[in-house]
Each structure stands twice: as C-alpha cells, then as structure tokens.
Amino acid sequence: MTADAPVLLTTPTTWGVRLTLNRPAKLNALSGELVQALTHAIDVAVADLDVRVIVIEGAGRAFSAGYDLTEEAEGAIGGPVEWREALAVDVAATLHVLDCPKPVIAQVHGYALAGGLELAMACDLIVAAEGTKLGEPEIRYGSAPVTLLMPYLIGQKKTRELLLTGDLIDAIEAERIGLINRVVPADRLAAEVDGLADRMARTPPEVMGPTKRMLNRAMDAAGFRLAVEAGLDLGAIVNAADTPEQREWDEIVRRDGLKAALAWRDARYDERLAGGGRTDG
C-alpha cells in the first residue's frame, strides 16, 4: 500500500492491524474514496485469521473532521431521493464497522466531528487523547446526523443538547457522559490502545464474535436500525431543504473554500452569544 493511499494498514506482531485514515491535509475528511478504502481494509482484516483486533486512527492533526463537505458542495446532489441514496452509502459504511465480527478500537486525537465521530462511535471502544474535541456540528450548516448512534450511547437528553446546538465537547466531558471510554495524555495514546488491543486479542474469536453480535442485537431490540432507516428519510429531506443558509454555505465553499465557509458558519453562531446562545467548545 502506497504512502498516499487513503487508508494505510500496518500489522503489529501481536494483536492485529492498525488502519490509518490518511488525508492529513484535509483532517482526514471522509471522502468517497476513503470510505470505500476503509470498508475494504476492514474486510481484509476480518478475513485474516492472524488479526484479532482492529484499531482505526487518523494521520496528522486529527482523527477525522467528518464527511468531505467540499465533495458534497461540488457534487450537485439533487432532491431527497438522490440525497437518500448518497446518505445510505455513508450509513452502510458506518454500520460495516459496527457489524465487524472482530473488536474495533477508535484511537482518537485532535478532532472527531460529524461523520468522523459517528465512525468512532461505531467502534467498540474509543480512547481519546487529552484536548480532543468531539461533536456533531452538522445542524450549523444545514445537515443532520447520518447514522443516529449517539442516543444509544449517551441517552436522549444529552444527545439532544449536542445535536440541536452543534456544540463541541472536550474528551474529559465526553468520558464523563459515556461517549468515550478513556482519556489519556497524547504521548500515551498509542500505548494505551496497544494494551487494550492486546488484552482483547486473548479472547478467542469464537467467543468475541458472538458476544459482539449480542450487544448489537440489544441495540436493535431497542429500535436502533429502525431509527437509522427512518433517519435516512428525514436526513435526505433536511439535506435537500435548500434553505438560504445552505445555499450561501455551498456558494462560499465553491468560491472561497471550506475554511472560509467554516469561518462564516462559526461567525453566525458567535453573534448569538450576546443573546444567551452558545458556541463550539
């Protein structure tokens, strides 16, 4: 695998594989190519009998800033039907991680946002470096969560606060509310994950796989996949709403780039502070 591949794979000698999201210049934004490569890499790892545990990490300054908004702005996706088809691809990729029969650990640092956070939430465990920012700010640019995992992890009230404001939280708060498993100093992050992976690798696959399926079926019994399916319909409507804010967002992305669009978005919410509103983290 070449160094510029969207997902890099390394094979430790003990517990399994580390898959590295490899678009550091874009904060590992989830492009269509990266999502496809990650799905394939997981399939390869599952087929490898020497792999007991899979770790997903991000290259550079972040785990992942979410789906590639530049691709979306330039993609000219039409109405709700086209949006539903596009979102269904993203949902399938996230569920592919959730349904992986081998344990998956998200090794998170920098930022885990939007679809990047959903990818992490689909993993069995999340270990984050101190200072990591996490959240789903999609509502601030006219979108909605793609795979509705959060309420099944932390409950409805805190999920509503995070999803309806778009606020970010730090890793310490994320651990407190049960969104992640552990917070460690950045220089200990990889070692902490290695230790967890090594312990999990000692469980036979014949035990680990069915145990994971039991946990996933408990979520399904609580309506998880029905909610995801319904969410696809509503998410498609949201993304196709064509509000003035969405049109301006897309135009700024096309004309001035994503960084300028993010600055415009954040400025809109910062202006509301005087009225009692809140801003990201």
Side-chain angles (χ1 to χ4, degrees), residues 69-259:
L69 300 177
T70 304
E71 274 192 354
E72 289 189 2
E74 295 174 349
I77 301 174
V81 173
E82 289 187 15
W83 266 113
R84 195 188 192 286
E85 292 173 351
L87 295 175
V89 173
D90 297 335
V91 166
T94 303
L95 294 182
H96 197 68
V97 176
L98 183 71
D99 291 331
C100 176
K102 298 181 179 182
V104 185
I105 303 174
Q107 180 177 308
V108 175
H109 74 290
Y111 293 94
L113 306 180
L117 179 56
E118 292 189 345
L119 170 60
M121 288 191 292
C123 298
D124 298 291
L125 301 178
I126 304 175
V127 182
E130 291 175 348
T132 302
K133 296 290 187 180
L134 308 96
E136 298 209 49
E138 296 96 318
I139 200 168
R140 296 188 171 192
Y141 46 83
S143 188
V146 180
T147 309
L148 202 61
L149 279 158
M150 191 179 288
Y152 293 88
L153 302 183
I154 65 172
Q156 278 280 347
K157 287 302 182 185
K158 198 63 183 181
T159 294
R160 288 170 186 260
E161 178 183 344
L162 292 175
L163 297 190
L164 298 181
T165 63
D167 286 349
L168 306 187
I169 57 175
D170 64 21
I172 292 174
E173 174 68 1
E175 182 186 33
R176 187 189 73 80
I177 65 176
L179 183 60
I180 68 174
N181 297 87
R182 300 183 185 184
V183 183
V184 297
D187 61 358
R188 283 180 39 210
L189 179 60
E192 185 78 10
V193 170
D194 281 339
L196 274 172
D198 182 66
R199 289 201 297 283
M200 296 171 78
R202 301 177 193 215
T203 300
E206 295 82 1
V207 176
M208 182 65 75
T211 301
K212 278 200 59 174
R213 285 196 295 273
M214 288 171 60
L215 293 167
N216 286 356
R217 286 178 182 179
M219 290 175 62
D220 293 344
F224 168 65
R225 289 179 204 258
L226 289 174
V228 170
E229 190 71 15
L232 271 174
D233 297 335
L234 294 170
I237 292 171
V238 169
N239 281 39
D242 195 31
T243 64
E245 291 82 3
Q246 285 174 315
R247 289 195 296 272
E248 186 164 0
W249 163 272
D250 289 345
E251 175 58 29
I252 295 172
V253 171
R254 285 190 290 266
R255 186 185 66 233
D256 303 320
L258 180 59
K259 187 174 181 179

Side-chain angles (χ1 to χ4, degrees), residues 55-75:
V55 170
I56 302 176
E57 64 177 358
R61 297 185 293 119
F63 177 74
S64 174
Y67 286 101
D68 193 326
L69 300 177
T70 304
E71 274 192 354
E72 289 189 2
E74 295 174 349

